[in-house]
Amino acid sequence: MSDSDLKPRLKQKTKVQKPKLYKVVLLNDDYTPREFVVLILKAEFRLDDSQAEVVMITAHQKGSCVVSVYPRDVAETKATRAIDAASQLGYPLQFNVEPE
Ligand code: TYC
């Protein structure tokens, strides 16, 4: 048996917690214009043209679509900002934030 087999481990293992991720989910409605949905997905969630189009059409056809995943505070801030921007123009657009 070598010395090293008996030595206590002095170094503490540092436990790094991965932040839990949350989905931002876009919900369909009958009133918000498609162009505005695409605009907000690009401006607030940094989607490019074709990603924004796919997410908007998916929500339009299926009722909802995951936009992206973020740490909780980022997901909530983005969803709130997007809802507020829509609401200022009188659109009922909604986003949910859900644990991944
Ligand atoms: N359904 C809307 C319309 O026909 C467009 C729309 C798409 C609204 C996706 C919300 O999440 C949404 N004008």
Side-chain angles (χ1 to χ4, degrees), residues 26-34 37 56-57 59-60 93:
L26 169 67
L27 304 181
N28 187 37
D29 66 71
D30 291 338
Y31 305 102
T32 308
R34 293 177 183 212
V37 179
M56 182 280 293
I57 281 291
H60 177 74
L93 189 64

Side-chain angles (χ1 to χ4, degrees), residues 13-42:
K13 272 198 180 155
T14 309
K15 284 189 185 145
V16 179
Q17 298 278 4
K18 271 200 223 148
K20 284 194 193 124
L21 293 178
Y22 287 73
K23 300 182 280 193
V24 175
V25 182
L26 169 67
L27 304 181
N28 187 37
D29 66 71
D30 291 338
Y31 305 102
T32 308
R34 293 177 183 212
E35 302 73 34
F36 179 80
V37 179
V38 168
L39 202 83
I40 213 80
L41 291 172
K42 289 163 65 178

Side-chain angles (χ1 to χ4, degrees), residues 60-83:
H60 177 74
Q61 291 175 343
K62 300 193 166 177
S64 67
C65 182
V66 175
V67 178
S68 196
V69 295
Y70 306 96
R72 187 177 198 164
D73 56 338
V74 178
E76 270 165 4
T77 302
K78 285 182 180 294
T80 302
R81 283 169 50 97
I83 291 167

